Amino acid sequence: MPIEPRRVSRRSLLVSAALVPGAVTLAGCKDDPAGSTPGAVNPSSSDGRAQETPTADPAVVAALSTAATQVTLLSLAFAVTSRKFPALRTQLAAGAKYHASHLAKLKETAGVTAAAGKTPAVAGTSSAALTALAKQEKAAAIAHAAAAAKVSGAPARLLAMIAAAETQLATTLTPNKKANAS
């Protein structure tokens, strides 16, 4: 009995065509040895653990400071919205926690500061407030992804991770239109 050759589905072919170039690009990326890249991990620390070396690159400090300011404003928006709409506290708790951890991670780099901003206005309804937070998250994600493309190494990974988290938060905060129509 002859064995028929295995046929590849169109879906598998399209997925492979989309993923292979990205994987090849990522496989070709590598960081410079530690110590030569600003913000790189220094594996030869005195206590044996890898630690972040302070960066002296003004572009990295500026990008991370801008991100820290945006994250601070988002965190403030979450806090104000939680106070105005106590019913949303549980839904907003995860986002507030993520923003706090992102801010702490951004401030680990020497020279990074977050500028203080004014308290944001909150919409009149909880649904409008969630929509406004989702829009702010999307805008911050776009800004952080663009900033990640301009730096390299650990700062780029950090900004990309924050952008991904903000994109996910924006998606989860967007009110379900089907539920609102009911």
Side-chain angles (χ1 to χ4, degrees):
M1 179 178 234
I3 300 175
E4 282 191 40
R6 188 171 182 208
R7 293 184 181 213
V8 178
S9 71
R10 182 172 52 166
R11 178 178 289 166
S12 298
L13 184 63
L14 289 174
V15 167
S16 297
L19 294 179
V20 170
V24 169
T25 302
L26 289 176
C29 294
K30 68 178 183 180
D31 288 338
D32 292 337
S36 63
T37 301
V41 173
N42 182 4
S44 61
S45 63
S46 61
D47 63 357
R49 294 182 306 179
Q51 296 179 341
E52 287 282 323
T53 56
T55 181
D57 186 358
V60 170
V61 171
L64 295 181
S65 291
T66 300
T69 299
Q70 292 168 333
V71 169
T72 300
L73 292 174
L74 282 170
S75 185
L76 189 59
F78 271 70
V80 170
T81 304
S82 289
R83 278 192 298 268
K84 185 169 182 177
F85 301 107
L88 296 178
R89 283 191 181 142
T90 9
Q91 186 175 359
L92 299 178
K97 182 180 83 172
Y98 289 136
H99 289 311
S101 68
H102 294 160
L103 188 58
K105 196 72 175 154
L106 286 164
K107 288 186 173 183
E108 286 179 3
T109 304
V112 173
T113 59
K118 65 178 188 170
T119 305
V122 180
T125 66
S126 61
S127 178
L130 286 176
T131 301
L133 283 175
K135 285 180 183 179
Q136 291 170 358
E137 290 286 349
K138 285 178 189 175
I142 291 168
H144 292 141
K150 295 177 184 175
V151 296
S152 64
R157 287 189 294 276
L158 176 59
L159 289 169
M161 183 263 315
I162 292 171
E166 290 166 342
T167 300
Q168 186 177 16
L169 281 170
T171 302
T172 60
L173 290 174
T174 303
N176 188 354
K177 296 199 187 307
K178 191 181 214 180
N180 289 343
S182 310

